Amino acid sequence: MHTRDLIQFLSELSENNNRAWFVMNKPRYDILRAEFLELVTALIPQIVKFDPAVAGCNPKKALFRINRDMRFSRDKSPYKTTFSAAITASGLKKPSQGGGPAYYFHVDAEGKLLVAGGEYMPPPDRLRAIRQHVVADADGFSKMLKNRKLKETYGDLQQEGKLARPPKGFDADAPHIEYLKLKSFIVWKETAIGKRVPADLGKELAAGFRDAYPLVAWLRQAA
């Protein structure tokens, strides 16, 4: 995959986020999109080596569309300035669709690679199930958080969007109360790759996802 070309395209798109520019540059987009699909297609078998559950994931469906949903947004820019994909066991990439825990990554217009694993902003019913699982499997949750590879690569779970108080139905002295306040159960890391493009991006992504696997596996147990 020509990563530098992708970053250059996204950078130009961020400065010319309109339909006329995109139509003029559609041939560039089509080539880069095809290369990105090849990357995801080759990445899935690498993930299967440590997580066989994703073997049935359709790479075409794992890719996110570049068109933005502007219906409920004040930002009327028609296009995203990232190329992104989410690989799941269910084959569904969106939390609202019940996709479950995912391996997610994107490349953005600033030349940053974000690698993530877990569930970002799951719907209310799913979030409650995860929180109940934290309480029911407090020891298992602790063990997962202490996993050496997970901690070395990602540190702790991301703390963005945290409630100020315990969620409804959970006591203030419940196990892992600070984690119960989270609205997402996800880890991620961000790396600047604009000047230092990985020699094998797929291999680097697979390694990052392997280190996130303990969280993904634990989340799959929440029902």
Side-chain angles (χ1 to χ4, degrees):
M1 178 177 169
H2 295 87
T3 308
R4 285 195 176 92
D5 290 346
L6 172 58
I7 294 169
Q8 180 63 33
F9 173 83
L10 293 172
S11 177
E12 293 177 28
L13 176 59
S14 69
E15 297 175 359
N16 304 275
N17 203 323
N18 59 75
R19 188 173 183 278
W21 184 92
F22 191 83
V23 170
M24 288 290 293
N25 289 272
K26 184 69 160 45
R28 293 172 64 194
Y29 167 77
D30 288 340
I31 292 171
L32 292 166
R33 179 79 170 183
E35 290 182 351
F36 195 72
L37 177 59
E38 289 178 3
L39 172 65
V40 174
T41 301
L43 179 58
I44 291 174
Q46 295 186 59
I47 299 174
V48 168
K49 292 178 182 178
F50 58 85
D51 187 357
V54 304
C57 183
N58 184 333
K60 290 184 178 180
K61 293 184 177 180
L63 271 61
F64 285 89
R65 298 173 68 242
I66 199 166
N67 301 78
R68 293 183 62 253
D69 184 349
M70 300 180 289
R71 292 175 297 172
F72 309 107
S73 175
R74 291 183 180 180
D75 180 1
K76 297 305 179 182
S77 302
Y79 304 106
K80 302 171 187 174
T81 55
T82 61
F83 266 36
S84 54
I87 297 165
T88 66
S90 66
L92 302 173
K93 57 181 174 284
K94 295 182 179 180
S96 60
Q97 298 174 329
Y103 301 104
Y104 171 88
F105 77 100
H106 74 225
V107 177
D108 71 13
E110 297 179 354
K112 293 179 180 177
L113 170 68
L114 184 141
V115 181
E119 295 191 46
Y120 180 76
M121 298 295 287
D125 288 350
R126 175 61 183 164
L127 181 56
R128 183 170 181 80
I130 294 172
R131 287 169 170 165
Q132 289 174 335
H133 188 45
V134 171
V135 175
D137 185 34
D139 291 343
F141 186 71
S142 294
K143 183 178 179 180
M144 178 272 294
L145 292 176
K146 294 175 182 177
N147 180 274
R148 182 174 61 85
K149 287 292 187 180
L150 184 75
K151 287 180 67 66
E152 287 180 353
T153 302
Y154 299 102
D156 200 358
L157 301 187
Q158 289 293 325
Q159 302 292 311
E160 293 184 5
K162 192 173 182 178
L163 297 174
R165 298 181 178 180
K168 185 177 180 180
F170 294 87
D171 296 332
D173 60 351
H176 303 295
I177 186 59
E178 291 305 313
Y179 290 99
L180 293 176
K181 296 177 183 178
L182 297 177
K183 295 181 181 179
S184 298
F185 284 76
I186 193 167
V187 291
W188 72 57
K189 65 174 182 177
E190 199 172 50
T191 308
I193 62 169
K195 295 182 179 179
R196 186 201 65 81
V197 177
D200 189 335
L201 183 56
K203 184 177 180 179
E204 184 161 318
L205 288 167
F209 292 150
R210 183 180 62 245
D211 294 343
Y213 174 70
L215 172 60
V216 171
W218 184 88
L219 285 166
R220 287 201 188 117
Q221 299 171 16

